[in-house]
Amino acid sequence: MRGVAFWFFATAAIYVAIGMVWGIVMSATMDHSLSPAHGHLNLIGWVTMGLFGIYYHNVPEAAETQLAKVHFAIATLGVVLIVPGIVMALRQDGEALAKAGSVLTLISILIFVFTVFRNRAKPA
Ligand code: HEM
């Protein structure tokens, strides 16, 4: 695995390592109040980013485009804003960060939808 595929998968692995430590801390302290933020870190950070990594590994022509790099930047910014944004929203400290992260995460998925269709295999 290399290039954008590597970076999607490597950062996803880091997110799940952090997410699991967070889950263990929640269990140990019996404070589950931030569990939606933990869930989103794992599901967007690990599952979604990891799937992007596997996709780009399997479709190298998609990974070699400038759009793939833009996709990685937007998806990464989305995760690093939405997770603390959910923490802030849960603590009633404001929703602006969660909103910004949500929009970036949606843009990331729209780029992915476009990429999947653009790189559809030609009929034999
Ligand atoms: C060491 C690994 C993990 C531990 C110890 C852990 C622990 C926890 C705990 C204590 C909760 C709160 C449960 C509750 O209040 O009912 C939780 C919720 C959750 N976890 Fe994890 N977790 C781990 C890994 C993961 C992974 C890998 C994923 C997803 C890929 C995940 C997704 C979720 C989701 C979706 C929720 C519910 C969030 C919500 O309440 O809105 N967790 N986890």
Side-chain angles (χ1 to χ4, degrees):
M1 201 175 262
R2 62 192 178 83
V4 164
F6 168 79
W7 286 109
F8 267 117
F9 212 74
T11 51
I14 292 168
Y15 295 140
V16 77
I18 297 168
M20 286 184 173
V21 170
W22 193 349
I24 290 168
V25 170
M26 284 197 303
S27 301
T29 58
M30 288 189 289
D31 177 1
H32 297 183
S33 60
L34 298 180
S35 76
H38 152 90
H40 282 76
L41 174 62
N42 285 329
L43 291 173
I44 301 175
W46 168 231
V47 180
T48 308
M49 299 282 275
L51 284 173
F52 291 155
I54 293 167
Y55 171 82
Y56 283 116
H57 178 70
N58 286 323
V59 187
E61 61 272 28
E64 279 150 21
T65 63
Q66 278 301 113
L67 184 62
K69 291 183 183 140
V70 172
H71 183 202
F72 177 73
I74 290 177
T76 298
L77 199 56
V79 174
V80 302
L81 293 187
I82 200 170
V83 175
I86 293 170
V87 170
M88 285 178 67
L90 290 168
R91 291 181 169 159
Q92 318 270 310
D93 284 336
E95 295 181 355
L97 212 57
K99 286 177 181 167
S102 308
V103 170
L104 288 167
T105 301
L106 175 63
I107 293 170
S108 146
I109 282 293
L110 294 177
I111 292 172
F112 188 59
V113 170
F114 175 78
T115 300
V116 167
F117 279 94
R118 187 166 77 169
N119 292 283
R120 188 179 181 182
K122 308 274 179 297

